[in-house]
Amino acid sequence: MKMKIAASLLAFALVVSSFAGCAKVVKIGEEGKLTGETTFNAGDSVDQIWASKAVPELTKEAVDLNTLLTEANGSLQSVAKKYGKFSSGTSGEVNFIVKGTGKVTSVDQQKKAGTMQLSLDGYSGKQAIKIQIGPVYMGTSVRDSLSFIKYEDYKNQVQWAQISQSINKTVQKEAVDPANVASLTGKTIEFTGCFTAGDDTEIRITPVQIKAK
């Protein structure tokens, strides 16, 4: 009986030893060293493209907002193929990259999705022109206007959404906060930004640059 128990204990010890020999302990956050997969960080990804690629491209391709609205004559969809960028190839939401100059008529920082309203130079149409000033930003117009990133570049919908969230945080940090928007009522500004076509009565632009004149 004693020999049977001793044999069982020896067999168990060998099994444990065998598993112990195969196991590898990896610290949290260092899994990529074992799997070769790089940990995704949306903030780092946006930092790498913002100043070097995103702002230069958007600045270069921006269309004069007054020209765009005049040609649209109340229907942004009518100029979608000429000036717009679709969120999914040739379909989906239509985004526009625009620039302009105007006088700030009001600044609303009471809402989380704050805005400032503009009287756009040379424009006499009915659309209200608003620039988002955060801290909450509506939509994904900046992300969807960039030519060099697309959904297929990312692992899943979560990462794709995180890229847009990080872009909006960068907009707050790099464009809105330096402009000191609380002091802009009554002043003239130059802006570059993006918006998604929606309600034709209101243009809500996410800025990438704001300069007070």
Side-chain angles (χ1 to χ4, degrees), residues 59-80:
T59 302
K60 180 181 179 181
E61 295 193 6
V63 177
D64 181 75
L65 180 57
N66 187 17
T67 300
L68 187 151
L69 293 178
T70 301
E71 288 189 31
N73 193 27
S75 173
L76 291 168
Q77 293 297 330
S78 68
V79 294

Side-chain angles (χ1 to χ4, degrees), residues 134-194:
V136 174
Y137 291 82
M138 308 296 287
T140 58
S141 60
V142 176
R143 182 197 66 186
D144 295 342
S145 294
L146 294 171
S147 67
F148 53 87
I149 61 172
K150 56 185 182 299
Y151 176 73
E152 290 76 13
D153 296 333
Y154 299 91
K155 188 175 182 180
N156 51 44
Q157 184 68 40
V158 173
Q159 289 188 358
W160 188 229
Q162 289 174 340
I163 286 295
S164 184
Q165 292 165 3
S166 291
I167 285 175
N168 289 342
K169 289 180 180 178
T170 303
V171 163
Q172 183 76 41
K173 178 183 176 183
E174 301 293 337
V176 174
D177 289 346
N180 189 18
V181 294
S183 68
L184 292 181
T185 302
K187 295 183 180 178
T188 298
I189 64 168
E190 294 179 346
F191 65 90
T192 302
C194 308

Side-chain angles (χ1 to χ4, degrees), residues 40-103:
F40 178 72
N41 185 310
D44 288 347
S45 295
V46 173
D47 286 345
Q48 291 171 8
I49 63 168
W50 186 252
S52 62
K53 297 181 70 174
V55 174
E57 178 178 284
L58 296 172
T59 302
K60 180 181 179 181
E61 295 193 6
V63 177
D64 181 75
L65 180 57
N66 187 17
T67 300
L68 187 151
L69 293 178
T70 301
E71 288 189 31
N73 193 27
S75 173
L76 291 168
Q77 293 297 330
S78 68
V79 294
K81 290 185 178 178
K82 183 176 182 179
Y83 295 119
K85 291 181 178 292
F86 291 91
S87 59
S88 180
T90 57
S91 62
E93 293 184 318
V94 181
N95 299 283
F96 296 97
I97 310 169
V98 295
K99 62 183 178 182
T101 302
K103 185 176 181 180

Side-chain angles (χ1 to χ4, degrees), residues 89-131:
T90 57
S91 62
E93 293 184 318
V94 181
N95 299 283
F96 296 97
I97 310 169
V98 295
K99 62 183 178 182
T101 302
K103 185 176 181 180
V104 178
T105 58
S106 65
V107 177
D108 181 1
Q109 292 183 292
Q110 299 301 310
K111 299 175 183 175
K112 289 184 178 179
T115 59
M116 58 183 179
Q117 187 154 345
L118 293 183
S119 175
L120 186 67
D121 284 0
Y123 178 68
S124 58
K126 296 180 178 179
Q127 281 105 331
I129 315 297
K130 294 184 177 181
I131 292 184

